[in-house]
């Protein structure tokens, strides 16, 4: 199983950006996807997930109301829509499967990460 994250870039504060995570190497669409980020000098943190079983989404408090996670099972792609971005959202963003729990140890496969920089 491989995950390919893309869509990162430079965005101004209060701007929006959508990053994608393409899953390949499996014919199954029955997986939950989590999103993490790692800011410079900080540990990797969980920011949210979408559960395959019931479609529920969960978010870390600092992104709740600004970020939206979705999943296209036909295209095997997950999306992280980020609105009202702040400078403190600057980080490398990672997708991972197969869990909707808020800790990295529950995830088996990881994408390589995509850099999001929020700056004026």
């Amino acid at each position: 199983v491989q995950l390919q994250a893309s869509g990162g870039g430079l965005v101004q504060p209060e701007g929006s950006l959508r990053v994608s995570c393409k899953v390949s190497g499996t014919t199954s669409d029955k997986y939950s996807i989590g999103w993490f980020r790692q800011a410079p000098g900080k540990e990797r943190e969980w920011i949210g997930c979408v559960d395959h079983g019931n479609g529920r989404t969960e978010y870390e408090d600092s992104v709740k109301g600004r970020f939206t996670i979705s999943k296209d099972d036909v295209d095997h792609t997950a999306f992280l829509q980020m609105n009202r971005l702040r400078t403190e959202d600057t980080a490398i963003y990672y997708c991972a499967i197969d869990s909707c729990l808020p800790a990295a140890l529950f995830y088996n496969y990881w994408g390589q990460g995509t850099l999001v920089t929020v700056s004026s």
Side-chain angles (χ1 to χ4, degrees):
V1 179
Q2 295 86 41
L3 285 75
Q4 179 73 39
S6 62
L10 174 64
V11 60
Q12 292 187 338
E14 294 300 310
S16 298
L17 196 66
R18 188 178 78 161
V19 297
S20 303
C21 176
K22 178 74 171 179
V23 181
S24 61
T26 176
T27 57
S28 173
D29 60 358
K30 295 178 174 54
Y31 45 80
S32 300
I33 292 183
W35 286 92
F36 292 75
R37 67 184 179 187
Q38 187 165 17
K42 295 187 176 181
E43 295 188 354
R44 189 173 300 189
E45 65 170 344
W46 175 88
I47 57 171
C49 64
V50 54
D51 186 288
H52 167 75
N54 54 24
R56 70 179 172 88
T57 52
E58 301 282 352
Y59 300 94
E60 191 269 332
D61 285 347
S62 71
V63 307
K64 200 174 293 184
R66 300 188 299 124
F67 290 11
T68 302
I69 294 171
S70 60
K71 182 168 170 272
D72 181 338
D73 289 334
V74 173
D75 197 38
H76 294 272
T77 303
F79 302 97
L80 175 65
Q81 175 68 44
M82 301 180 286
N83 299 325
R84 304 203 319 272
L85 282 159
R86 307 167 180 167
T87 55
E88 54 263 39
D89 294 319
T90 294
I92 299 173
Y93 283 73
Y94 300 89
C95 55
I97 61 174
D98 174 17
S99 175
C100 200
L101 293 172
L105 64 93
F106 296 111
Y107 294 79
N108 299 316
Y109 298 95
W110 292 79
Q112 84 291 358
T114 185
L115 176 62
V116 174
T117 303
V118 184
S119 175
S120 56

